[in-house]
Amino acid sequence: MSKSLLALGGKQRQRQMEGRIVIKMVCLALAFGSFSVKKGRVVAEAELTGAGHGDGDKRDAEALLSIKSAITVDPLQSLSTWTANTSSSLCSWNGIWCRKHTNRVVAIILPQLGLEGTISRSIGTLSLLQTLNLSVNSFTGRIPPQIGRLKELRVLDLNTNNLMGSIPTSLANCTHIQWIGLSHNNLTGSIPEDFGGLKNIQHLRLSYNGLGGSIPNSLGNCTSLLHLTLAYNFLTGGIPSEVGRLRKLQYFSLRSNRLKSQIPAALGNCSSLEILFLSGNSLIGNITPELGNLKQLLQLSLYGPGNLTGSIPAEIGNCSNLVWLDVGMNLIKGPLPITLAMLPLSTLSLVENLFEGELPEALFNMTQLTKLDIGANKFRGIIPPGVGKLTALNFLNFGTNRLTGSMPQEITNLTLLENLYLDTNNLTGPLPKDIERLQSLKILFLFSNNLSGSIPFRISELKNLTQLAIHSNKISGAIPENIGSLTSLEKLDASDNQLVGQIPQSMGNCKSITDLILSDNFLSGRVPATLVNCTALRRLKLSRNSLYGDIHIDFSSSIEILSAYSNNLSGTLPALLGNFTQLKLLDFSKNRFTGELSSHLANCQELRVLSLGSNEFEGHIPLWITNLTSLQVLDLSNNKFVGTIPSFLQGLQGFAHPESSKLIGVMANTLYEEIPVIIKGNQYILQYVLAANTILDLSNNDLSGEIPLSIGSLISMRLLNLSGNHLEGNIPASLGQISTLEQLDLSQNSLTGKIPEELSKLFLLAYLNVSFNSICGLIPRGAQFSTFSERSYLGNPECLCGYPLQSCKKSTSPTMAIPSKTVEKSMWTKVDEQVSVIGVGLGFGIGFGAVIWSIIGWERPRHVLLGSVI
């Protein structure tokens, strides 16, 4: 690409045009889409003059002063010399160039000066103007149509401003124009059809706008075009076959539009093409074999999301200069053509297609490759030892395929490798014993395989490693004590393995770590106090291990997720929790914590999930808990709380107006992770749940008194469980206001009265349990109540009647005794914690179809743009 641009600059300099600017085209001009005052233009002294040449044309001076008056902000005082007093020497004004021996303005060059304002219509009176460069400023408003009067205009560069409105069709009157740069603005409308009359146009740059409509067929008449970029707009329709007339075209980008068509075979006629970017559209059909005619092609990007089908045509092997091939995220399938091995490719990206078969040995003869991305396909078989020959690689992605066998030892020859993705395959065996040879490695993803053995002790020598994901394997043994030598480590996920032993004290040396995830192992011992040194820690997950002891660690004040449920942790909640003002999730459920809830938790105003179920907490549910206005999940079940339910429940605004999650990455739409919850009398683990879900679970405590009427203010609650207490009084009719309620469990209490008729309005209610109370009267009728069985009403007096129980009689008295709470409570303890909620989902009909499964909260860079140019 650089070679072609320098050649283009040579052609420009060869043009001898009296009274005109000569611009040296350099690579930097492409990157910014504009000229630089110091580096982007070379003025031919024989043609132009600056200071001290003549008295200045009166009309030009008036026009320039009008242009200045429309500029409202000039932070560098760049136009301070533009005054009426100096109009006789306007050729000395900053940014103004005149024709030699005259005072007529031929160029205005004012890029990157922080100018704000509009472009004055007076620009149209500068009749000899050949160059207008106002790029990389903050001009607003429309492009004045009066520019179309500038018959001598050669260069119009307005890139990187805030211009709006449509492109004036009058620009087509500038028949000598060679450069139009309008990228990085807010332009709308369509590309003028009349642009097809610009026979001398060489550069047309309209990317990063809001342009719509179709690509004009008339652009095929612009046979002098060298650079055409219409990327990052909203263009629709197809790629016109008339583009095939552009035999001089070197750079062509339609990236990220809404085009939906086949790739025209006529593109194969653009014999000078070096860069072809059609990615980010909805292209259909096969990759046309005529692209093999593009012998000068250096980069070809057809990256989706698209619907390209068929296979990669063997003719692509004729593009003997091709160094970058990206056809990812399409529906291309079949084996790889052997002709690819004849190309000097440095980048091969085939990610997320339907390629299948074994990895061809010829692939590993492409020793110039620096990026090889074939992830998310259907490749099978082993990773050949030949992979060790690709010693220039810095990016390798074989993830999400069907590969088997072990990681070849030869992979450690790739000493320049920075990103290695082998996740989500069926790989077995241990990690390579010489893994420390990968000294450049920054990201290592091996998760979701069947890898075994231990974590190599010498993995600690990978000093550049920032992300290590080995979860969901069968890795055993202890975490190496020297793991703390990975001082660049930011994310470590070793969950869902068979690790034993203690969490190493040296973890405290990983001061940059943000995510430490060790759940679902057999780790024991105490949580190391050295974690206090991990000042960047945001997510700590230690759930489902055998950790014990108390937690009195002053974790990072930036921590957002602290999950350690299902361990043997004990003691009281530390007062230090009040320091975690960014905490969004706290889950210490299924441990052995005692005492009352620490009032310091009231400082955690960002808290959205508080799960402390299945411990030995006691005392009253504190009133301050209703001040946690962001709370959306409150689980205090299976403890020893006494007293009444706080009455001021309307303070729990998160249950009335749940916010969208602020978490990032895969978790962008989720609120919390790995929360045990009772669904229809059984306990399940919710892995990831949408942020709209709200749960209030106070079941199996010793709460008494009435259910507060204010519970009806929690109008967005979806699951309410108050079972297994000593609650009395009537069921509040205000529950009928919670239109989102999907599960309601009030069983095993001492409730009296009747079931309020208002509950029949709960059209989403999929589970109801009011069994073992003293409820009497007619069961409400309604669409949802017709779906509940007798199990919803067991253990109540015979005076509770209506469907599905017996018909109501005139005289029925409550005679049935309420069974012992202690006996019935066993129903709630027979749970299967290993059953994922994914297995029940919509089958339970409670609307938790919002439950989604994910593996980690980090995103893998599936597609890396190596040379994005506007």
Side-chain angles (χ1 to χ4, degrees), residues 622-777:
L623 295 178
W624 56 256
I625 212 162
T626 61
N627 295 328
L628 299 177
T629 55
S630 298
L631 204 61
Q632 292 178 225
V633 175
L634 176 59
D635 181 4
L636 303 179
S637 63
N638 293 288
N639 280 285
K640 299 177 181 179
F641 289 109
V642 297
T644 60
I645 299 173
S647 59
F648 193 69
L649 293 178
Q650 57 266 39
L652 297 173
Q653 287 298 301
F655 285 86
H657 308 288
E659 300 176 3
S660 298
S661 177
K662 297 177 183 177
L663 302 180
I664 61 174
V666 176
M667 297 173 60
N669 293 317
T670 63
L671 169 63
Y672 57 90
E673 45 190 306
E674 298 181 350
I675 294 292
V677 63
I678 299 294
I679 299 178
K680 285 194 170 183
N682 293 288
Q683 185 168 317
Y684 297 91
I685 304 301
L686 303 187
Q687 295 291 338
Y688 285 92
V689 181
L690 293 184
N693 286 329
T694 46
I695 297 174
L696 177 58
D697 191 348
L698 306 179
S699 61
N700 296 323
N701 282 285
D702 291 311
L703 300 175
S704 57
E706 297 186 354
I707 302 173
L709 296 177
S710 60
I711 201 164
S713 64
L714 310 183
I715 56 176
S716 293
M717 185 161 52
R718 301 182 69 174
L719 187 153
L720 175 61
N721 191 347
L722 303 178
S723 64
N725 283 288
H726 304 292
L727 300 174
E728 56 191 15
N730 296 336
I731 299 174
S734 61
L735 285 173
Q737 302 171 18
I738 309 176
S739 59
T740 57
L741 200 60
E742 299 173 3
Q743 173 173 320
L744 175 59
D745 194 339
L746 304 176
S747 62
Q748 301 180 89
N749 279 289
S750 301
L751 299 173
T752 56
K754 64 178 184 178
I755 301 174
E757 188 67 31
E758 287 80 358
L759 297 193
S760 64
K761 301 176 183 177
L762 301 178
F763 297 113
L764 298 180
L765 192 63
Y767 177 76
L768 173 69
N769 191 350
V770 294
S771 61
F772 302 106
N773 280 286
S774 296
I775 299 171
C776 195

Side-chain angles (χ1 to χ4, degrees), residues 407 411 420-425 427 430-432 435 443-451 459 468-473 475:
M407 292 176 60
I411 209 166
L420 175 58
Y421 303 103
L422 300 179
D423 58 277
T424 321
N425 281 287
L427 299 177
L431 276 64
I435 198 169
I443 297 177
L444 177 59
F445 279 12
L446 303 176
F447 61 85
S448 296
N449 281 287
N450 290 304
L451 297 173
I459 200 172
L468 175 59
I470 56 175
H471 58 277
S472 304
N473 279 289
I475 297 173

